[in-house]
Amino acid sequence: MIRIGFLAILLLPGVAASQAFAAGTVPDLVPIDPPYTVTSGLSGKNGKPAKDVSGIACMPPRDGKRRCLVVNDENTGAQFISIDGHTITPGADIDLVGGGPNPNTLGTPPSKNGCSGGEGKFDDLDGEGVAYAAPYFYVVGSHGCSRGKAKFKLSTFVLARIRVDAKGDPVGPDAVETTYRLGDALGAAEAVSAYYTQDLQTEGGDAAPNGLNIEGVAVDGKRLFAGLRAPSRDGRTFIVEADVDALFGEGHAPLKAAPQVIPLSVGRGAGIRDLAILPDGRLLVLTGPAQGQTDVPYSLFAAGASVDAKLESIGRLTGAEAGAKAEGVAVLGDKRILVMFDSVKDGGPLEYKLP
C-alpha cells in the first residue's frame, strides 16, 4: 500500500484495477452511522416522490451546513437541498429546460440523429449528473437515445449551469444558462464519436449497440468532465473533457475547441455512474453496470484528470437497499462521501468513509 494525496489505496494502473476486483484484493466499503434523514420528500416527476435521483453536488460548508443540488432524471430541472449533520432538508426546485427548446440556448442543436425510434417530444432533461465549481452548479442531460424506445429527445441534449451566490441561491432571473455544445464535444471525440446518438440497446435488451450516454459530470473550474456509462469497450469506459468557457461562449456557433478523451480500464461491462473532484484534484469515479448486467458491482476509483493518468481502485459499495443503483456521489471532506441511489425513495442517502 502507498499513500497518494489523502487516500491510502492500492495503486493499480490500467487493466490491473479491474483484475483486482476479481481477485478479491479490493475492499468492500460499508456505510457509516448514523443514517441520514430526509425531512420531507424530494420532488419527483409530476409531484410524485423522487425515486430516480441520479446526481448530487455540494458547495463547501457554511456555518456547519451544506447547500447542495440534486437531480431526478425524469424532471425538467433540479432541486436544492441543505445538509445539516445527517439531516437533509429539501428546498426549492429550479427549472432548467422548460416545456420546449429555448432560443437562448448556446450553440446549435445536434444535427446527427441515429436513434432508431426517431424523434421524441421535448420534455424531461434526463438529468444524470450534477457538479459544483464556484460560482456555478452544473447539470448534464444524458445526451443519448432514450432507453427502451430509442427516441431522440432534444431536451436531453442540454448542459445547464446555475449561477449562485455565497449562500447557494440563484443570482437573478438569468441565473440559468444552457448550451448544446457538449454534444459537439461528444461527436468530435474520436474514441467514442461513433456511438453518439446510437441506440443504447436493442428492443430485446441486447447491449450490442452500446450507444453513448452520460451519467456523471465533474468540473474543476476550467474543465468539464463528462463520464460515460456507455460505450463500454473491452473493459474500458471513457471520460470526455471539454473547456468550460468554450461550452458556454456567447452565440450559436458550434464548439471549436477539441475535446480530450480519458479511457479508464474499470472492468468488462462497467460504465461510469458519477464523477466528483477529490481534494487533491483527482477524479472520484463511481462505476456500475454499463447496461443491465447483474454481475457488475458498484465501485469507486480515483483517476488523474489527464489522458495518461494512473487509475486507482478504492472499493465496492455495500449496504444499499435491494435493487438500489448508485448514481450520485458528493465529496464531503475528511475522506467522507455521500452516495445517492436510483430506484430508492429520496435517493436512499448513505455515507461512506474512504480508506
Side-chain angles (χ1 to χ4, degrees), residues 1 18 23 38 66 77 84 103 111 122 138 157 163 166 215 218 220 224 233 237 256 265 270 286 307 339 349:
M1 299 289 284
S18 57
V38 181
R66 289 182 181 272
D84 184 2
S111 58
F122 190 105
Y138 295 79
F157 286 78
R163 188 179 183 95
E215 284 237 358
D220 69 1
L224 180 140
R233 294 167 37 200
T237 190
K256 295 180 181 179
S265 295
L286 171 62
V307 173
V339 178

Side-chain angles (χ1 to χ4, degrees), residues 151-172:
K151 295 282 189 181
F152 175 93
K153 295 184 177 182
L154 181 60
S155 55
T156 72
F157 286 78
V158 171
L159 168 67
R161 71 178 181 182
I162 308 150
R163 188 179 183 95
V164 295
D165 60 21
K167 296 184 293 183
D169 294 327
V171 178

Side-chain angles (χ1 to χ4, degrees), residues 228-279:
L228 306 187
R229 176 172 172 177
S232 173
R233 294 167 37 200
D234 302 321
R236 295 190 305 165
T237 190
F238 303 89
I239 295 172
V240 176
E241 174 196 329
D243 181 83
V244 171
D245 288 342
L247 292 171
F248 286 94
E250 292 185 5
H252 296 289
L255 183 73
K256 295 180 181 179
Q260 295 288 327
V261 179
I262 302 172
L264 301 177
S265 295
V266 296
R268 193 168 296 277
I272 294 170
R273 292 307 189 101
D274 203 10
L275 298 173
I277 302 290
L278 289 166

Side-chain angles (χ1 to χ4, degrees), residues 17 38 45 58 89 114 116-117 165 214 229-230 235 250 276 303 314 339:
V38 181
K45 190 171 185 178
C58 297
T89 302
S116 65
D165 60 21
I214 295 173
R229 176 172 172 177
E250 292 185 5
I314 298 173
V339 178

